[in-house]
Structure formats: C-alpha cells, structure tokens
Amino acid sequence: MELEQRGVILVTGGAGFIGSNFVLDWVAGGYGAVVNLDALTYAGNLENLVSLEGNPAHTFVRGDICDAALVKSLLEKYRPRAVVHFAAESHVDRSIVGPEAFLKTNIDGTFTMLQAARGYYDGLVGEERERFRFLHVSTDEVYGTLTPEAPAFHEETPYAPNSPYAASKASSDHLVRAWLHTYGLPTLITNCSNNYGPYQFPEKLIPLMIANALQGKALPVYGDGQQVRDWLYVGDHASALRVVLERGRVGETYNVGGGNQRTNLAVVTTLCALLDELVPESKFAPHKELVKYVTDRPGHDRRYAIDARKLEGELGWKAAESFETGLRKTVEWYLANAAWVESVTSGAYQQWVTKNYGERTSVAAGESAR
Ligand code: NAD
Ligand code: DAU
C-alpha cells in the first residue's frame, strides 16, 4: 500500500525518548507518514531522528502544543487520521523542583490538543471521521502507590496521584475522558509503566546509572533502594500503542506493562554486573562499589505494578523483550552511542545534576532518609 493511502498521523513529543522510538518504529514499519510536533525542550533531541533526514514519511515541526493556532493549522494542512499525544514534562524530580512547567504543558497543552482535535473532528465526514482517533499516552503514576502485597494497577484502579507530575498527568487523563463523554471525540488512553531503552535522557534511573558508572561517578540510590518499578522495553511500548491505535475500542483505557517488577537496587546492581561484563577493561569495576545511598525523593511512591491483561487478552499484545534481554540491549546501545550521551548531557544538564544531587546528603545503606 502506498504511503499516502496509509495516511498521516500527528505525533506530539516525537523528539523525546518514547516519542522518537515510536516514530522510528512507525516509519521503519511502513505504517504511514508522521508529522512530528515537538518544542525541543531539554528532553527533545533531533539527533534521535537523524536517520529520518530526507525521508518523505517524516515531517518535523518545532512548536509548542500550547499554541492553539499552530496545532489547528497542522491538523488542517495534514489532515491526520490520528493524533498520538506524547508531549509532556516527564521527570518526577523536576516536577518537585519546578511544578509550573508540568501544569502548563501537561494540562494546558493537552487541553489545547483536545480542543484543536475536536474542531478538526467536527469537520470530518465519512470514512475520515470513522477512522479518526486521539490517543493519549499516559502513565501508571496516576494510580498512586501500592503496598508490597497489593494487586497490580488495573484499568478500574482509582486515581491517587502523589507527585506534581502524576497529578498533572491525571488531570490530562480526566480532560481526555471529558472530551470523549461531552463532545464525542474518539479518544483512547494508555497508562504505561516505567520504560527504558535507547534515547532515554540520562536524568532517569537507568541511563543516569549507566552514564555515571562509565565515568566512575557515584550511583545515587534514593532512600533504601527498595522501591519497586515495573519495567517495559520502549519498543514494546511502541508496539502496544500501535495495537491500541489500530484495534483499541474507542473510549477505553489500556494499561501497558511488561510484568517486570524490580527494586531500584536490583536494577542498579544488575546494570553494574552488565557493565563489569561488557566493559572488562573499566578501571571502575566492580561498578556496584559506586552505589551511594542518598536522601530520598519527597513523596516517593513505594511500588508500581501493571496488570496488562486487558491489552493482552482483548488486543493480543505481548511484550517481545524480557527485562534481561531488554536491559542488555539498552546497555549495549549506550556503550555504542557515547557521542549521543555526550551531546545531550552538555550545558543545562550539568545544572540539573548540581541542583538535584548537590542538595542530597549521603545516607547509610537501608536508611530511608528524607
Ligand atoms: P521525554 O521527556 O523524554 O520527552 C518529552 C518530549 O515532549 C520532548 O521531546 C519535549 O521536547 C516534548 N515537549 C515537552 N513540552 C512540550 C510542549 N509544550 N510542546 C511540544 N513538545 C513538548 O518524555 P518520555 O519519557 O518520552 O514520555 C513521553 C510520554 O509518555 C509522556 O506523556 C509521559 O508522561 C508518558 N510516559 C512515560 C513513561 C516513561 O517511563 N518515560 C512511562 C509511561 C508514560
Ligand atoms: O511509571 C511511569 C513513569 O516512570 C513515567 O510516567 C515517568 O515519566 C518516568 O520518568 C518514570 O518515573 P519514575 O519516577 O519511576 O522514574 P525515574 O527513572 O525518575 O526513577 C525510577 C526509580 O528510581 C524511582 O523509584 C526513583 C529512583 N531513582 C531515580 C533517580 C533518577 C533513584 O534512586 N536515583 C536516581 O538518581
């Protein structure tokens, strides 16, 4: 089928971690053309998309999702069959230090996207109208925190966001729900667990630990390191989003997760062992000696876990990577892409590291300090 027949999708935030992985997979898989709207904040990086330079299936537009006129004009010009909305401020620690940007982009920005999509959808007729979808990419953090024995988050778990980031994403989910129920916009929501993989900005746990370990820097584990996250390889998130877009029931929410619950300390020590193996000449091995317990994140959620049975049973999705295969691929990618890490960690990144880690004191192992 020709590119044109497959249609165009409008992706927001497609220069960030998950967005760029999704766009690369989408174009490589020949699923159609992408118009990629991204403001290129500190988290957005066009280097993620260099392989698409000159490719007619990818059009990049630098702009803000809060710019209603721009979003409207893009919808009118490209007439997408779907909007896949990734753009957000995504880092919990940054939301604690400066919540304003989170409310602006995650709430106002989603509102702007919904209003523009609604105006566009209202003008569609026939097959174009039948086919149109607004897919909102959200997080499991909207559900709050779990005790060790509690069942995993499912689609009916009540919302209980605990950080400014989680609250802003919960707000955006509620707006999406309201635009479905009040205006009939054909929306879908996905709530996914922690992603990892290529192109993840080294402010997040896994790439930060890899980058620090390779330089012999301390590996800052918050509190006692016993917090649990449920890890999913980013390529599996991309495949889940494709499935939801193509076969998901309008108005439904689908939880996405890989069934890989690990404590943070276990993740860090596994990474250290992988680095010991893959960089045998490292003068910093054994890397786990670099682990340093530091002051905990305020309001730190203790455990996340996703029940993905609805997505698996209804839509037939299954993760392709185990945590072990995905983590190995990820470490290999970071080792092979030192230049990418170097380019994204210059300048403003250093200020963030000083701000976030400079004020954290060292604590004894196992002590849950605030
Ligand atoms: P990211 O921070 O790596 O990328 C965000 C992208 O959005 C960047 O390219 C940035 O430039 C862009 N952006 C930010 N503000 C913008 C604005 N006002 N207008 C246009 N573009 C803007 O984030 P990510 O980790 O790739 O997450 C993408 C989405 O997936 C987010 O909505 C996040 O809440 C959700 N999510 C992330 C995870 C995870 O583990 N990272 C898990 C579940 C859900
Ligand atoms: O659950 C999905 C969410 O996962 C996404 O919605 C967010 O966008 C994404 O950032 C991620 O949030 P987390 O807060 O779980 O991810 P982060 O990588 O920041 O931290 C993972 C765990 O590791 C968390 O318990 C905090 C801890 N941590 C993190 C950093 C950066 C440390 O112990 N030390 C660190 O230096």
Side-chain angles (χ1 to χ4, degrees):
M1 200 192 285
E2 291 305 310
L3 206 56
E4 246 172 55
Q5 287 172 284
R6 291 185 189 270
V8 177
I9 60 168
L10 173 62
V11 168
T12 70
F17 163 48
I18 304 172
S20 62
N21 275 282
F22 175 85
V23 168
L24 291 169
D25 286 1
W26 187 268
V27 173
Y31 297 104
V34 176
V35 175
N36 185 351
L37 172 63
D38 195 298
L40 297 182
T41 67
Y42 79 92
N45 198 331
L46 281 181
E47 281 186 48
N48 303 7
L49 302 164
V50 276
S51 63
L52 297 180
E53 262 172 28
N55 190 325
H58 181 246
T59 304
F60 184 79
V61 179
R62 184 173 190 176
D64 195 322
I65 56 165
C66 298
D67 182 343
L70 172 64
V71 178
K72 182 171 184 280
S73 73
L74 292 176
L75 290 167
E76 282 168 1
K77 179 171 178 190
Y78 294 103
R79 305 192 65 75
R81 68 176 174 92
V83 171
V84 186
H85 179 37
F86 292 94
E89 289 291 336
S90 69
H91 190 34
V92 173
D93 291 321
R94 286 187 194 253
S95 83
I96 295 167
V97 171
E100 296 83 357
F102 288 72
L103 272 62
K104 183 85 194 126
T105 287
N106 301 0
I107 305 176
D108 286 359
T110 301
F111 163 68
T112 306
M113 290 304 304
L114 287 166
Q115 279 291 73
R118 179 188 154 207
Y120 169 67
Y121 177 68
D122 283 349
L124 295 180
V125 290
E127 204 195 316
E128 271 194 322
R129 186 175 171 85
E130 277 295 300
R131 207 179 174 196
F132 184 76
R133 297 286 183 273
F134 185 103
L135 172 52
H136 178 60
V137 181
S138 194
T139 171
D140 61 356
E141 300 205 11
V142 299
Y143 299 123
T145 188
L146 292 167
T147 56
E149 306 308 326
F153 299 131
H154 54 85
E155 287 78 2
E156 306 305 322
T157 302
Y159 274 35
N162 288 322
S163 70
Y165 163 69
S168 68
K169 289 297 289 188
S171 305
S172 66
D173 291 9
H174 290 322
L175 291 175
V176 173
R177 179 189 163 91
W179 262 243
L180 165 86
H181 284 273
T182 303
Y183 304 114
L185 188 69
T187 59
L188 295 150
I189 299 178
T190 52
N191 293 95
C192 187
S193 62
N194 286 63
N195 283 217
Y196 66 100
Y199 302 113
Q200 187 168 31
F201 194 72
E203 64 186 354
K204 307 281 167 61
L205 181 75
I206 288 177
L208 178 99
M209 294 296 170
I210 298 171
N212 280 15
L214 288 173
Q215 294 174 69
K217 292 185 182 163
L219 307 181
V221 171
Y222 295 166
D224 63 3
Q226 294 305 308
Q227 305 82 5
V228 172
R229 297 292 182 265
D230 187 349
W231 295 95
L232 181 70
Y233 187 70
V234 65
D236 284 324
H237 190 181
S239 74
L241 295 172
R242 289 198 301 272
V243 166
V244 170
L245 199 53
E246 295 315 316
R247 303 202 285 277
R249 283 183 291 135
V250 167
E252 292 293 313
T253 288
Y254 294 91
N255 280 358
V256 189
N260 293 304
Q261 294 182 58
R262 299 284 188 287
T263 64
N264 293 337
L265 191 58
V267 170
V268 174
T269 50
T270 306
L271 279 172
C272 289
L274 272 169
L275 288 170
D276 293 351
E277 177 198 326
L278 295 170
V279 197
E281 71 283 8
S282 167
K283 52 183 191 286
F284 307 116
H287 293 92
K288 72 169 188 235
E289 285 179 6
L290 296 168
V291 166
K292 181 179 165 196
Y293 294 89
V294 299
T295 317
D296 208 350
R297 173 186 279 176
H300 199 170
D301 284 338
R302 199 68 184 161
R303 175 177 166 241
Y304 303 145
I306 278 281
D307 179 343
R309 280 178 296 181
K310 180 174 171 185
L311 175 63
E312 292 166 349
E314 218 180 81
L315 304 185
W317 173 84
K318 205 172 168 348
E321 299 291 342
S322 68
F323 188 59
E324 286 63 36
T325 59
L327 203 60
R328 181 173 286 271
K329 268 192 182 180
T330 302
V331 174
E332 286 170 348
W333 187 88
Y334 279 90
L335 290 174
N337 289 277
W340 180 90
V341 177
E342 172 96 27
S343 84
V344 302
T345 54
S346 57
Y349 177 79
Q350 301 305 333
Q351 289 156 23
W352 165 250
V353 169
T354 306
K355 171 99 197 131
N356 191 44
Y357 296 98
E359 290 166 9
R360 286 177 198 273
T361 50
S362 181
V363 299
E367 188 189 323
S368 187
R370 281 265 157 114

